[in-house]
């Protein structure tokens, strides 16, 4: 009986020791120790309203076992109000113990203001390391030459008048200001270039005007071009003496189409006068594209005046002969 009790006690002791040892083995798997060692910021793009910043974070794995869901979160706060402006997170891949890895993220910030950027490194559900930096003076950065905050979306065409072999085409240019401030008034050149010969048929200078933030406006110009040709209409925006924006669209007054698999090309006859668009005219007003009627000048005689003179001379000659 005593021996049985001893056996039971030894079994319980061994079982307890096994359970305890298993827990100790798990405890020996130390949690990871990963820390943020450095951060680097570089400017990718500077527009009239925003700055795109590339943020690189360096992470060191000093010891322990890294989990599979390590992540780095970036939070941007307005340093004056402490309001959260934006946040984004990125996964961090496995890092060997004793080594350093880097991850990069891009953030876009308005040029005006001061900011606090907070870095939070997590492994599983536990925060392992934090860091923060302050940003100010973004408005002093020089704007990229090509970035003026406005873009050319599209161009529409209207036939306003057909005079002989010439066509008056109204080109409506759609311009959008994607910035957060009112745009400058830029010079804009609109020109029609014949597709094949690349000859300029007409060009007109105008301006973009002041455009409000996130607004789209339409700027219209009239181009007079020869009929029965195809044109590329180019829109060029200038900042001082630098070309900063370009857009183009096509108007085909002599389009062609392929009519069979052997690439036979056939021209389509377009009667341009069928597409004339007339503006509504108020009573007493002269239509915008209609030239008022003028009496012919009594200067150089035309074809009808010559006939009248010849008839008068013939009549005088007949009258003289009768008198004789």
């Amino acid at each position: 009986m005593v021996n049985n009790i001893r056996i039971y006690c030894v079994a319980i002791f061994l079982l307890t020791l096994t359970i305890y040892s298993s827990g100790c083995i798990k405890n020996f798997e130390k949690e990871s120790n990963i820390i943020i060692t450095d951060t680097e910021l570089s400017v990718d793009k500077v527009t009239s309203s925003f700055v795109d910043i590339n943020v690189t974070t360096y992470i060191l794995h000093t010891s322990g076992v890294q989990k599979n869901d390590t992540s780095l979160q970036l939070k941007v706060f307005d340093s004056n109000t402490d309001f959260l402006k934006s946040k984004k997170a990125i996964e961090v891949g496995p890092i060997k113990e004793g080594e350093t890895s880097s991850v990069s993220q891009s953030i876009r910030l308005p040029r005006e203001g001061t900011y606090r950027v907070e870095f939070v490194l997590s492994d599983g559900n536990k925060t392992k390391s934090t860091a923060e930096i302050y940003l100010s003076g973004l408005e002093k950065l020089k704007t990229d030459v090509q970035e003026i905050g406005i873009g050319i979306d599209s161009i529409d065409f209207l036939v306003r008048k057909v005079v002989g072999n010439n066509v008056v085409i109204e080109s409506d240019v759609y311009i959008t200001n994607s910035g957060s401030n009112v745009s400058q008034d830029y010079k804009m050149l609109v020109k029609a270039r014949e597709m094949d010969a690349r000859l300029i048929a007409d060009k007109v200078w105008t301006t973009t005007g002041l455009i409000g933030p996130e607004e789209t406006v339409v700027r219209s110009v009239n181009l007079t071009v020869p009929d029965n040709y195809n044109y590329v209409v180019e829109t060029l925006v200038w900042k001082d003496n630098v070309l900063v924006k370009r857009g183009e669209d096509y108007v085909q007054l002599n389009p062609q189409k392929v009519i069979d698999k052997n690439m036979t090309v056939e021209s389509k006859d377009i009667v341009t006068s069928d597409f004339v668009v007339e503006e509504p005219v108020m009573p007493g007003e002269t239509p915008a594209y209609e030239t008022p009627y003028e009496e012919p000048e009594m200067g150089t005689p035309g074809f009808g005046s010559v006939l009248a003179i010849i008839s008068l001379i013939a009549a005088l000659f007949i009258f003289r002969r009768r008198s004789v």
Side-chain angles (χ1 to χ4, degrees), residues 46-51 109-112 143 149 177-182:
V46 181
T47 71
S48 59
S49 303
F50 298 96
V51 179
L109 299 175
R111 293 183 65 179
E112 297 180 357
T143 304
N177 178 12
S178 57
S180 58
N181 300 315
V182 176

Side-chain angles (χ1 to χ4, degrees), residues 154-161 167-175 186-192 202-209 217-225 233-236 251 279 289:
S154 63
I155 309 175
D156 285 342
F157 304 103
L158 298 174
V159 178
R160 286 304 190 187
K161 189 176 183 182
V167 182
V168 178
I169 297 177
E170 178 183 308
S171 301
D172 294 334
V173 183
Y174 292 77
I175 307 172
Y186 299 103
K187 294 183 297 183
M188 185 168 67
L189 174 64
V190 183
K191 56 184 177 180
D202 194 12
K203 60 182 179 180
V204 175
W205 282 97
T206 183
T207 62
T208 62
V217 299
V218 180
R219 301 295 182 232
S220 301
V221 299
N222 293 327
L223 300 172
T224 302
V225 299
V233 176
E234 301 174 349
T235 303
L236 309 175
V251 54
E279 293 285 356
Y289 298 93

Side-chain angles (χ1 to χ4, degrees), residues 100-113:
T100 299
S101 181
S102 63
V103 293
S104 295
Q105 298 167 277
S106 180
I107 56 176
R108 169 169 287 189
L109 299 175
R111 293 183 65 179
E112 297 180 357

Side-chain angles (χ1 to χ4, degrees), residues 256-266:
Q256 298 176 338
K257 66 177 181 178
V258 177
I259 59 177
D260 59 31
K261 63 181 180 180
N262 295 322
M263 299 297 289
T264 300
V265 178
E266 179 183 85

